[in-house]
């Protein structure tokens, strides 16, 4: 499934007032995690969303106790751990 199209759809709904900018950003984590081509998805993100995801992922502490409000905390922890490792690998590749 093409997650870039899903992201663009979220942006369209944001422009129509259905979602807030923060809600789109929150859904972006799930789309990035489930994307078959994370690099292409990452490159398609609005700069503000890319910056915010980078900020949150780099601040994520995988050694902290898992916590989530509306989701399975263990699953969220796995996703965040995986995404942070992916982002760190991307950073190493670009240097």
């Amino acid at each position: 499934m093409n997650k870039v199209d899903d992201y663009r759809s979220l942006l369209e709904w944001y422009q129509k007032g259905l979602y807030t900018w923060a809600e789109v950003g929150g859904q972006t984590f799930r789309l990035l995690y489930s994307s078959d081509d994370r690099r292409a998805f990452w490159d398609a993100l609005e700069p503000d969303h890319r910056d915010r995801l980078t900020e949150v992922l780099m601040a994520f502490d995988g050694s902290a106790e898992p916590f989530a409000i509306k989701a399975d905390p263990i699953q969220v922890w796995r996703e965040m751990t995986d995404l942070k490792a992916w982002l760190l690998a991307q950073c190493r590749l670009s240097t």
Side-chain angles (χ1 to χ4, degrees), residues 55-92:
E55 180 182 323
V56 170
L57 288 171
M58 297 310 280
F60 173 71
D61 179 1
S63 67
E65 183 177 342
F67 173 79
I69 295 173
K70 294 185 178 183
D72 174 8
I74 301 299
Q75 181 61 32
V76 171
W77 179 86
R78 285 183 188 128
E79 291 175 8
M80 294 293 284
T81 300
D82 184 56
L83 289 174
K84 183 173 183 176
W86 176 82
L87 182 58
L88 289 170
Q90 297 304 302
C91 292
R92 283 191 293 272

PDB file of all heavy atoms in Angstrom, residues 55-92:
ATOM      1  N   GLU A  55      12.528  15.137  15.913  1.00  0.00           N
ATOM      2  CA  GLU A  55      12.646  15.593  17.298  1.00  0.00           C
ATOM      3  C   GLU A  55      12.102  14.546  18.278  1.00  0.00           C
ATOM      4  O   GLU A  55      12.759  14.208  19.268  1.00  0.00           O
ATOM      5  CB  GLU A  55      11.874  16.909  17.450  1.00  0.00           C
ATOM      6  CG  GLU A  55      11.898  17.515  18.818  1.00  0.00           C
ATOM      7  CD  GLU A  55      11.064  18.785  18.870  1.00  0.00           C
ATOM      8  OE1 GLU A  55      11.047  19.558  17.889  1.00  0.00           O
ATOM      9  OE2 GLU A  55      10.406  19.000  19.907  1.00  0.00           O
ATOM     10  N   VAL A  56      10.927  14.024  17.997  1.00  0.00           N
ATOM     11  CA  VAL A  56      10.305  13.045  18.894  1.00  0.00           C
ATOM     12  C   VAL A  56      11.094  11.741  18.908  1.00  0.00           C
ATOM     13  O   VAL A  56      11.355  11.167  19.974  1.00  0.00           O
ATOM     14  CB  VAL A  56       8.831  12.794  18.499  1.00  0.00           C
ATOM     15  CG1 VAL A  56       8.241  11.614  19.264  1.00  0.00           C
ATOM     16  CG2 VAL A  56       7.990  14.052  18.737  1.00  0.00           C
ATOM     17  N   LEU A  57      11.500  11.268  17.739  1.00  0.00           N
ATOM     18  CA  LEU A  57      12.229   9.995  17.688  1.00  0.00           C
ATOM     19  C   LEU A  57      13.590  10.092  18.361  1.00  0.00           C
ATOM     20  O   LEU A  57      14.010   9.166  19.067  1.00  0.00           O
ATOM     21  CB  LEU A  57      12.381   9.527  16.240  1.00  0.00           C
ATOM     22  CG  LEU A  57      11.096   9.026  15.595  1.00  0.00           C
ATOM     23  CD1 LEU A  57      11.311   8.795  14.104  1.00  0.00           C
ATOM     24  CD2 LEU A  57      10.593   7.761  16.279  1.00  0.00           C
ATOM     25  N   MET A  58      14.291  11.191  18.161  1.00  0.00           N
ATOM     26  CA  MET A  58      15.604  11.331  18.781  1.00  0.00           C
ATOM     27  C   MET A  58      15.496  11.462  20.302  1.00  0.00           C
ATOM     28  O   MET A  58      16.398  11.043  21.027  1.00  0.00           O
ATOM     29  CB  MET A  58      16.357  12.515  18.189  1.00  0.00           C
ATOM     30  CG  MET A  58      16.657  12.345  16.699  1.00  0.00           C
ATOM     31  SD  MET A  58      17.422  10.782  16.266  1.00  0.00           S
ATOM     32  CE  MET A  58      19.098  11.110  16.693  1.00  0.00           C
ATOM     33  N   ALA A  59      14.386  11.998  20.785  1.00  0.00           N
ATOM     34  CA  ALA A  59      14.181  12.129  22.228  1.00  0.00           C
ATOM     35  C   ALA A  59      13.636  10.843  22.848  1.00  0.00           C
ATOM     36  O   ALA A  59      13.649  10.697  24.073  1.00  0.00           O
ATOM     37  CB  ALA A  59      13.221  13.285  22.519  1.00  0.00           C
ATOM     38  N   PHE A  60      13.175   9.911  22.017  1.00  0.00           N
ATOM     39  CA  PHE A  60      12.593   8.671  22.529  1.00  0.00           C
ATOM     40  C   PHE A  60      13.650   7.857  23.273  1.00  0.00           C
ATOM     41  O   PHE A  60      14.741   7.620  22.773  1.00  0.00           O
ATOM     42  CB  PHE A  60      12.017   7.836  21.377  1.00  0.00           C
ATOM     43  CG  PHE A  60      11.542   6.474  21.806  1.00  0.00           C
ATOM     44  CD1 PHE A  60      10.403   6.340  22.567  1.00  0.00           C
ATOM     45  CD2 PHE A  60      12.260   5.345  21.459  1.00  0.00           C
ATOM     46  CE1 PHE A  60       9.972   5.087  22.969  1.00  0.00           C
ATOM     47  CE2 PHE A  60      11.843   4.094  21.858  1.00  0.00           C
ATOM     48  CZ  PHE A  60      10.691   3.953  22.609  1.00  0.00           C
ATOM     49  N   ASP A  61      13.302   7.433  24.482  1.00  0.00           N
ATOM     50  CA  ASP A  61      14.198   6.635  25.316  1.00  0.00           C
ATOM     51  C   ASP A  61      13.670   5.208  25.354  1.00  0.00           C
ATOM     52  O   ASP A  61      12.697   4.917  26.057  1.00  0.00           O
ATOM     53  CB  ASP A  61      14.260   7.236  26.722  1.00  0.00           C
ATOM     54  CG  ASP A  61      15.155   6.460  27.667  1.00  0.00           C
ATOM     55  OD1 ASP A  61      15.758   5.449  27.250  1.00  0.00           O
ATOM     56  OD2 ASP A  61      15.253   6.871  28.839  1.00  0.00           O
ATOM     57  N   GLY A  62      14.301   4.340  24.604  1.00  0.00           N
ATOM     58  CA  GLY A  62      13.872   2.950  24.538  1.00  0.00           C
ATOM     59  C   GLY A  62      13.998   2.194  25.841  1.00  0.00           C
ATOM     60  O   GLY A  62      13.386   1.141  26.011  1.00  0.00           O
ATOM     61  N   SER A  63      14.773   2.738  26.781  1.00  0.00           N
ATOM     62  CA  SER A  63      14.930   2.062  28.065  1.00  0.00           C
ATOM     63  C   SER A  63      13.842   2.459  29.071  1.00  0.00           C
ATOM     64  O   SER A  63      13.727   1.857  30.132  1.00  0.00           O
ATOM     65  CB  SER A  63      16.306   2.367  28.658  1.00  0.00           C
ATOM     66  OG  SER A  63      16.402   3.731  29.010  1.00  0.00           O
ATOM     67  N   ALA A  64      13.042   3.463  28.717  1.00  0.00           N
ATOM     68  CA  ALA A  64      11.973   3.903  29.612  1.00  0.00           C
ATOM     69  C   ALA A  64      10.800   2.921  29.565  1.00  0.00           C
ATOM     70  O   ALA A  64      10.623   2.191  28.590  1.00  0.00           O
ATOM     71  CB  ALA A  64      11.502   5.300  29.211  1.00  0.00           C
ATOM     72  N   GLU A  65      10.010   2.929  30.604  1.00  0.00           N
ATOM     73  CA  GLU A  65       8.838   2.053  30.668  1.00  0.00           C
ATOM     74  C   GLU A  65       7.851   2.430  29.568  1.00  0.00           C
ATOM     75  O   GLU A  65       7.533   3.612  29.389  1.00  0.00           O
ATOM     76  CB  GLU A  65       8.177   2.193  32.033  1.00  0.00           C
ATOM     77  CG  GLU A  65       6.991   1.276  32.211  1.00  0.00           C
ATOM     78  CD  GLU A  65       6.390   1.362  33.602  1.00  0.00           C
ATOM     79  OE1 GLU A  65       7.063   1.849  34.525  1.00  0.00           O
ATOM     80  OE2 GLU A  65       5.250   0.934  33.754  1.00  0.00           O
ATOM     81  N   PRO A  66       7.359   1.437  28.819  1.00  0.00           N
ATOM     82  CA  PRO A  66       6.390   1.732  27.748  1.00  0.00           C
ATOM     83  C   PRO A  66       5.130   2.392  28.301  1.00  0.00           C
ATOM     84  O   PRO A  66       4.638   2.014  29.362  1.00  0.00           O
ATOM     85  CB  PRO A  66       6.061   0.351  27.169  1.00  0.00           C
ATOM     86  CG  PRO A  66       7.203  -0.512  27.552  1.00  0.00           C
ATOM     87  CD  PRO A  66       7.697   0.025  28.871  1.00  0.00           C
ATOM     88  N   PHE A  67       4.637   3.376  27.572  1.00  0.00           N
ATOM     89  CA  PHE A  67       3.444   4.113  27.986  1.00  0.00           C
ATOM     90  C   PHE A  67       2.707   4.581  26.741  1.00  0.00           C
ATOM     91  O   PHE A  67       3.326   5.034  25.774  1.00  0.00           O
ATOM     92  CB  PHE A  67       3.837   5.327  28.826  1.00  0.00           C
ATOM     93  CG  PHE A  67       2.684   6.228  29.150  1.00  0.00           C
ATOM     94  CD1 PHE A  67       1.804   5.898  30.165  1.00  0.00           C
ATOM     95  CD2 PHE A  67       2.472   7.384  28.426  1.00  0.00           C
ATOM     96  CE1 PHE A  67       0.728   6.720  30.455  1.00  0.00           C
ATOM     97  CE2 PHE A  67       1.399   8.214  28.715  1.00  0.00           C
ATOM     98  CZ  PHE A  67       0.523   7.876  29.735  1.00  0.00           C
ATOM     99  N   ALA A  68       1.405   4.445  26.746  1.00  0.00           N
ATOM    100  CA  ALA A  68       0.568   4.969  25.668  1.00  0.00           C
ATOM    101  C   ALA A  68      -0.812   5.258  26.236  1.00  0.00           C
ATOM    102  O   ALA A  68      -1.266   4.577  27.158  1.00  0.00           O
ATOM    103  CB  ALA A  68       0.471   3.989  24.510  1.00  0.00           C
ATOM    104  N   ILE A  69      -1.475   6.249  25.697  1.00  0.00           N
ATOM    105  CA  ILE A  69      -2.794   6.621  26.193  1.00  0.00           C
ATOM    106  C   ILE A  69      -3.897   5.837  25.485  1.00  0.00           C
ATOM    107  O   ILE A  69      -4.752   5.251  26.120  1.00  0.00           O
ATOM    108  CB  ILE A  69      -3.017   8.138  26.054  1.00  0.00           C
ATOM    109  CG1 ILE A  69      -2.036   8.878  26.960  1.00  0.00           C
ATOM    110  CG2 ILE A  69      -4.458   8.518  26.374  1.00  0.00           C
ATOM    111  CD1 ILE A  69      -2.021  10.370  26.813  1.00  0.00           C
ATOM    112  N   LYS A  70      -3.864   5.807  24.160  1.00  0.00           N
ATOM    113  CA  LYS A  70      -4.949   5.175  23.403  1.00  0.00           C
ATOM    114  C   LYS A  70      -4.464   4.019  22.548  1.00  0.00           C
ATOM    115  O   LYS A  70      -5.054   3.721  21.518  1.00  0.00           O
ATOM    116  CB  LYS A  70      -5.631   6.212  22.510  1.00  0.00           C
ATOM    117  CG  LYS A  70      -6.361   7.292  23.271  1.00  0.00           C
ATOM    118  CD  LYS A  70      -7.095   8.193  22.325  1.00  0.00           C
ATOM    119  CE  LYS A  70      -7.865   9.252  23.089  1.00  0.00           C
ATOM    120  NZ  LYS A  70      -8.634  10.106  22.203  1.00  0.00           N
ATOM    121  N   ALA A  71      -3.388   3.381  22.954  1.00  0.00           N
ATOM    122  CA  ALA A  71      -2.850   2.285  22.153  1.00  0.00           C
ATOM    123  C   ALA A  71      -2.136   1.304  23.079  1.00  0.00           C
ATOM    124  O   ALA A  71      -1.936   1.579  24.259  1.00  0.00           O
ATOM    125  CB  ALA A  71      -1.880   2.835  21.111  1.00  0.00           C
ATOM    126  N   ASP A  72      -1.766   0.175  22.516  1.00  0.00           N
ATOM    127  CA  ASP A  72      -1.003  -0.822  23.261  1.00  0.00           C
ATOM    128  C   ASP A  72       0.393  -0.264  23.508  1.00  0.00           C
ATOM    129  O   ASP A  72       1.148  -0.024  22.562  1.00  0.00           O
ATOM    130  CB  ASP A  72      -0.941  -2.111  22.447  1.00  0.00           C
ATOM    131  CG  ASP A  72      -0.058  -3.177  23.064  1.00  0.00           C
ATOM    132  OD1 ASP A  72       0.415  -3.003  24.201  1.00  0.00           O
ATOM    133  OD2 ASP A  72       0.166  -4.198  22.392  1.00  0.00           O
ATOM    134  N   PRO A  73       0.770  -0.032  24.755  1.00  0.00           N
ATOM    135  CA  PRO A  73       2.069   0.597  25.031  1.00  0.00           C
ATOM    136  C   PRO A  73       3.256  -0.224  24.527  1.00  0.00           C
ATOM    137  O   PRO A  73       4.251   0.353  24.091  1.00  0.00           O
ATOM    138  CB  PRO A  73       2.096   0.745  26.550  1.00  0.00           C
ATOM    139  CG  PRO A  73       1.015  -0.105  27.068  1.00  0.00           C
ATOM    140  CD  PRO A  73       0.022  -0.309  25.973  1.00  0.00           C
ATOM    141  N   ILE A  74       3.161  -1.537  24.573  1.00  0.00           N
ATOM    142  CA  ILE A  74       4.265  -2.373  24.083  1.00  0.00           C
ATOM    143  C   ILE A  74       4.415  -2.212  22.573  1.00  0.00           C
ATOM    144  O   ILE A  74       5.531  -2.092  22.058  1.00  0.00           O
ATOM    145  CB  ILE A  74       4.044  -3.853  24.461  1.00  0.00           C
ATOM    146  CG1 ILE A  74       3.926  -4.011  25.979  1.00  0.00           C
ATOM    147  CG2 ILE A  74       5.142  -4.727  23.877  1.00  0.00           C
ATOM    148  CD1 ILE A  74       5.164  -3.580  26.751  1.00  0.00           C
ATOM    149  N   GLN A  75       3.296  -2.163  21.849  1.00  0.00           N
ATOM    150  CA  GLN A  75       3.360  -1.984  20.398  1.00  0.00           C
ATOM    151  C   GLN A  75       3.926  -0.612  20.044  1.00  0.00           C
ATOM    152  O   GLN A  75       4.753  -0.483  19.147  1.00  0.00           O
ATOM    153  CB  GLN A  75       1.980  -2.183  19.758  1.00  0.00           C
ATOM    154  CG  GLN A  75       1.982  -2.045  18.252  1.00  0.00           C
ATOM    155  CD  GLN A  75       2.868  -3.064  17.552  1.00  0.00           C
ATOM    156  OE1 GLN A  75       3.027  -4.190  18.017  1.00  0.00           O
ATOM    157  NE2 GLN A  75       3.453  -2.683  16.434  1.00  0.00           N
ATOM    158  N   VAL A  76       3.486   0.412  20.748  1.00  0.00           N
ATOM    159  CA  VAL A  76       4.007   1.764  20.506  1.00  0.00           C
ATOM    160  C   VAL A  76       5.508   1.790  20.771  1.00  0.00           C
ATOM    161  O   VAL A  76       6.280   2.358  19.992  1.00  0.00           O
ATOM    162  CB  VAL A  76       3.260   2.815  21.362  1.00  0.00           C
ATOM    163  CG1 VAL A  76       3.950   4.171  21.283  1.00  0.00           C
ATOM    164  CG2 VAL A  76       1.813   2.914  20.926  1.00  0.00           C
ATOM    165  N   TRP A  77       5.939   1.150  21.859  1.00  0.00           N
ATOM    166  CA  TRP A  77       7.367   1.086  22.182  1.00  0.00           C
ATOM    167  C   TRP A  77       8.134   0.403  21.058  1.00  0.00           C
ATOM    168  O   TRP A  77       9.193   0.875  20.636  1.00  0.00           O
ATOM    169  CB  TRP A  77       7.562   0.341  23.506  1.00  0.00           C
ATOM    170  CG  TRP A  77       8.992   0.205  23.906  1.00  0.00           C
ATOM    171  CD1 TRP A  77       9.745   1.110  24.597  1.00  0.00           C
ATOM    172  CD2 TRP A  77       9.865  -0.894  23.615  1.00  0.00           C
ATOM    173  NE1 TRP A  77      11.024   0.630  24.758  1.00  0.00           N
ATOM    174  CE2 TRP A  77      11.117  -0.593  24.166  1.00  0.00           C
ATOM    175  CE3 TRP A  77       9.695  -2.099  22.948  1.00  0.00           C
ATOM    176  CZ2 TRP A  77      12.198  -1.462  24.056  1.00  0.00           C
ATOM    177  CZ3 TRP A  77      10.764  -2.965  22.836  1.00  0.00           C
ATOM    178  CH2 TRP A  77      12.004  -2.636  23.398  1.00  0.00           C
ATOM    179  N   ARG A  78       7.615  -0.716  20.544  1.00  0.00           N
ATOM    180  CA  ARG A  78       8.283  -1.427  19.430  1.00  0.00           C
ATOM    181  C   ARG A  78       8.383  -0.542  18.189  1.00  0.00           C
ATOM    182  O   ARG A  78       9.426  -0.495  17.535  1.00  0.00           O
ATOM    183  CB  ARG A  78       7.513  -2.699  19.086  1.00  0.00           C
ATOM    184  CG  ARG A  78       7.681  -3.808  20.063  1.00  0.00           C
ATOM    185  CD  ARG A  78       6.948  -5.058  19.600  1.00  0.00           C
ATOM    186  NE  ARG A  78       6.952  -6.050  20.632  1.00  0.00           N
ATOM    187  CZ  ARG A  78       5.883  -6.670  21.100  1.00  0.00           C
ATOM    188  NH1 ARG A  78       4.692  -6.416  20.601  1.00  0.00           N
ATOM    189  NH2 ARG A  78       5.996  -7.560  22.056  1.00  0.00           N
ATOM    190  N   GLU A  79       7.287   0.118  17.867  1.00  0.00           N
ATOM    191  CA  GLU A  79       7.277   0.981  16.684  1.00  0.00           C
ATOM    192  C   GLU A  79       8.274   2.126  16.833  1.00  0.00           C
ATOM    193  O   GLU A  79       9.034   2.418  15.905  1.00  0.00           O
ATOM    194  CB  GLU A  79       5.868   1.520  16.434  1.00  0.00           C
ATOM    195  CG  GLU A  79       4.896   0.457  15.990  1.00  0.00           C
ATOM    196  CD  GLU A  79       3.472   0.964  15.868  1.00  0.00           C
ATOM    197  OE1 GLU A  79       3.228   2.197  15.978  1.00  0.00           O
ATOM    198  OE2 GLU A  79       2.580   0.122  15.657  1.00  0.00           O
ATOM    199  N   MET A  80       8.259   2.774  17.980  1.00  0.00           N
ATOM    200  CA  MET A  80       9.162   3.900  18.196  1.00  0.00           C
ATOM    201  C   MET A  80      10.618   3.443  18.196  1.00  0.00           C
ATOM    202  O   MET A  80      11.489   4.120  17.635  1.00  0.00           O
ATOM    203  CB  MET A  80       8.830   4.604  19.516  1.00  0.00           C
ATOM    204  CG  MET A  80       7.472   5.281  19.519  1.00  0.00           C
ATOM    205  SD  MET A  80       7.364   6.674  18.390  1.00  0.00           S
ATOM    206  CE  MET A  80       8.286   7.888  19.314  1.00  0.00           C
ATOM    207  N   THR A  81      10.898   2.298  18.806  1.00  0.00           N
ATOM    208  CA  THR A  81      12.254   1.757  18.814  1.00  0.00           C
ATOM    209  C   THR A  81      12.722   1.469  17.395  1.00  0.00           C
ATOM    210  O   THR A  81      13.839   1.828  17.003  1.00  0.00           O
ATOM    211  CB  THR A  81      12.315   0.475  19.675  1.00  0.00           C
ATOM    212  OG1 THR A  81      11.934   0.809  21.014  1.00  0.00           O
ATOM    213  CG2 THR A  81      13.705  -0.123  19.682  1.00  0.00           C
ATOM    214  N   ASP A  82      11.852   0.849  16.615  1.00  0.00           N
ATOM    215  CA  ASP A  82      12.179   0.529  15.225  1.00  0.00           C
ATOM    216  C   ASP A  82      12.401   1.799  14.400  1.00  0.00           C
ATOM    217  O   ASP A  82      13.371   1.897  13.643  1.00  0.00           O
ATOM    218  CB  ASP A  82      11.068  -0.325  14.624  1.00  0.00           C
ATOM    219  CG  ASP A  82      11.382  -0.786  13.218  1.00  0.00           C
ATOM    220  OD1 ASP A  82      12.434  -1.425  13.016  1.00  0.00           O
ATOM    221  OD2 ASP A  82      10.572  -0.494  12.308  1.00  0.00           O
ATOM    222  N   LEU A  83      11.503   2.768  14.550  1.00  0.00           N
ATOM    223  CA  LEU A  83      11.632   4.006  13.784  1.00  0.00           C
ATOM    224  C   LEU A  83      12.876   4.800  14.174  1.00  0.00           C
ATOM    225  O   LEU A  83      13.549   5.370  13.311  1.00  0.00           O
ATOM    226  CB  LEU A  83      10.381   4.872  13.942  1.00  0.00           C
ATOM    227  CG  LEU A  83       9.124   4.356  13.246  1.00  0.00           C
ATOM    228  CD1 LEU A  83       7.933   5.225  13.604  1.00  0.00           C
ATOM    229  CD2 LEU A  83       9.326   4.296  11.736  1.00  0.00           C
ATOM    230  N   LYS A  84      13.201   4.818  15.462  1.00  0.00           N
ATOM    231  CA  LYS A  84      14.402   5.533  15.883  1.00  0.00           C
ATOM    232  C   LYS A  84      15.644   4.863  15.301  1.00  0.00           C
ATOM    233  O   LYS A  84      16.543   5.553  14.807  1.00  0.00           O
ATOM    234  CB  LYS A  84      14.501   5.600  17.405  1.00  0.00           C
ATOM    235  CG  LYS A  84      15.706   6.414  17.867  1.00  0.00           C
ATOM    236  CD  LYS A  84      15.721   6.627  19.351  1.00  0.00           C
ATOM    237  CE  LYS A  84      16.895   7.505  19.772  1.00  0.00           C
ATOM    238  NZ  LYS A  84      16.884   7.801  21.205  1.00  0.00           N
ATOM    239  N   ALA A  85      15.688   3.538  15.326  1.00  0.00           N
ATOM    240  CA  ALA A  85      16.828   2.825  14.738  1.00  0.00           C
ATOM    241  C   ALA A  85      16.919   3.109  13.245  1.00  0.00           C
ATOM    242  O   ALA A  85      18.011   3.312  12.703  1.00  0.00           O
ATOM    243  CB  ALA A  85      16.700   1.320  14.997  1.00  0.00           C
ATOM    244  N   TRP A  86      15.785   3.141  12.576  1.00  0.00           N
ATOM    245  CA  TRP A  86      15.774   3.436  11.141  1.00  0.00           C
ATOM    246  C   TRP A  86      16.307   4.847  10.884  1.00  0.00           C
ATOM    247  O   TRP A  86      17.142   5.047  10.012  1.00  0.00           O
ATOM    248  CB  TRP A  86      14.356   3.296  10.581  1.00  0.00           C
ATOM    249  CG  TRP A  86      14.266   3.686   9.149  1.00  0.00           C
ATOM    250  CD1 TRP A  86      14.568   2.925   8.059  1.00  0.00           C
ATOM    251  CD2 TRP A  86      13.902   4.976   8.638  1.00  0.00           C
ATOM    252  NE1 TRP A  86      14.402   3.659   6.909  1.00  0.00           N
ATOM    253  CE2 TRP A  86      13.990   4.918   7.239  1.00  0.00           C
ATOM    254  CE3 TRP A  86      13.505   6.163   9.244  1.00  0.00           C
ATOM    255  CZ2 TRP A  86      13.693   6.005   6.431  1.00  0.00           C
ATOM    256  CZ3 TRP A  86      13.215   7.247   8.428  1.00  0.00           C
ATOM    257  CH2 TRP A  86      13.312   7.165   7.033  1.00  0.00           C
ATOM    258  N   LEU A  87      15.818   5.819  11.670  1.00  0.00           N
ATOM    259  CA  LEU A  87      16.252   7.204  11.486  1.00  0.00           C
ATOM    260  C   LEU A  87      17.747   7.357  11.748  1.00  0.00           C
ATOM    261  O   LEU A  87      18.454   8.032  10.988  1.00  0.00           O
ATOM    262  CB  LEU A  87      15.452   8.140  12.393  1.00  0.00           C
ATOM    263  CG  LEU A  87      15.759   9.624  12.268  1.00  0.00           C
ATOM    264  CD1 LEU A  87      15.530  10.123  10.846  1.00  0.00           C
ATOM    265  CD2 LEU A  87      14.915  10.416  13.261  1.00  0.00           C
ATOM    266  N   LEU A  88      18.242   6.724  12.789  1.00  0.00           N
ATOM    267  CA  LEU A  88      19.680   6.784  13.080  1.00  0.00           C
ATOM    268  C   LEU A  88      20.494   6.176  11.937  1.00  0.00           C
ATOM    269  O   LEU A  88      21.552   6.705  11.570  1.00  0.00           O
ATOM    270  CB  LEU A  88      19.989   6.090  14.399  1.00  0.00           C
ATOM    271  CG  LEU A  88      19.512   6.835  15.651  1.00  0.00           C
ATOM    272  CD1 LEU A  88      19.646   5.945  16.882  1.00  0.00           C
ATOM    273  CD2 LEU A  88      20.262   8.131  15.840  1.00  0.00           C
ATOM    274  N   ALA A  89      20.014   5.095  11.367  1.00  0.00           N
ATOM    275  CA  ALA A  89      20.694   4.476  10.219  1.00  0.00           C
ATOM    276  C   ALA A  89      20.700   5.424   9.026  1.00  0.00           C
ATOM    277  O   ALA A  89      21.697   5.538   8.303  1.00  0.00           O
ATOM    278  CB  ALA A  89      20.031   3.152   9.852  1.00  0.00           C
ATOM    279  N   GLN A  90      19.593   6.142   8.806  1.00  0.00           N
ATOM    280  CA  GLN A  90      19.526   7.104   7.714  1.00  0.00           C
ATOM    281  C   GLN A  90      20.523   8.231   7.930  1.00  0.00           C
ATOM    282  O   GLN A  90      21.162   8.695   6.984  1.00  0.00           O
ATOM    283  CB  GLN A  90      18.100   7.664   7.573  1.00  0.00           C
ATOM    284  CG  GLN A  90      17.057   6.653   7.225  1.00  0.00           C
ATOM    285  CD  GLN A  90      17.387   5.902   5.963  1.00  0.00           C
ATOM    286  OE1 GLN A  90      17.571   6.482   4.894  1.00  0.00           O
ATOM    287  NE2 GLN A  90      17.477   4.592   6.076  1.00  0.00           N
ATOM    288  N   CYS A  91      20.636   8.660   9.179  1.00  0.00           N
ATOM    289  CA  CYS A  91      21.595   9.728   9.505  1.00  0.00           C
ATOM    290  C   CYS A  91      23.020   9.274   9.228  1.00  0.00           C
ATOM    291  O   CYS A  91      23.832  10.024   8.693  1.00  0.00           O
ATOM    292  CB  CYS A  91      21.446  10.155  10.963  1.00  0.00           C
ATOM    293  SG  CYS A  91      19.915  11.003  11.328  1.00  0.00           S
ATOM    294  N   ARG A  92      23.347   8.039   9.576  1.00  0.00           N
ATOM    295  CA  ARG A  92      24.692   7.508   9.322  1.00  0.00           C
ATOM    296  C   ARG A  92      24.954   7.382   7.824  1.00  0.00           C
ATOM    297  O   ARG A  92      26.057   7.627   7.367  1.00  0.00           O
ATOM    298  CB  ARG A  92      24.859   6.156  10.010  1.00  0.00           C
ATOM    299  CG  ARG A  92      25.079   6.278  11.510  1.00  0.00           C
ATOM    300  CD  ARG A  92      25.506   4.968  12.127  1.00  0.00           C
ATOM    301  NE  ARG A  92      24.476   3.952  12.091  1.00  0.00           N
ATOM    302  CZ  ARG A  92      23.543   3.780  13.021  1.00  0.00           C
ATOM    303  NH1 ARG A  92      23.508   4.574  14.068  1.00  0.00           N
ATOM    304  NH2 ARG A  92      22.653   2.829  12.914  1.00  0.00           N
TER     305      ARG A  92
END
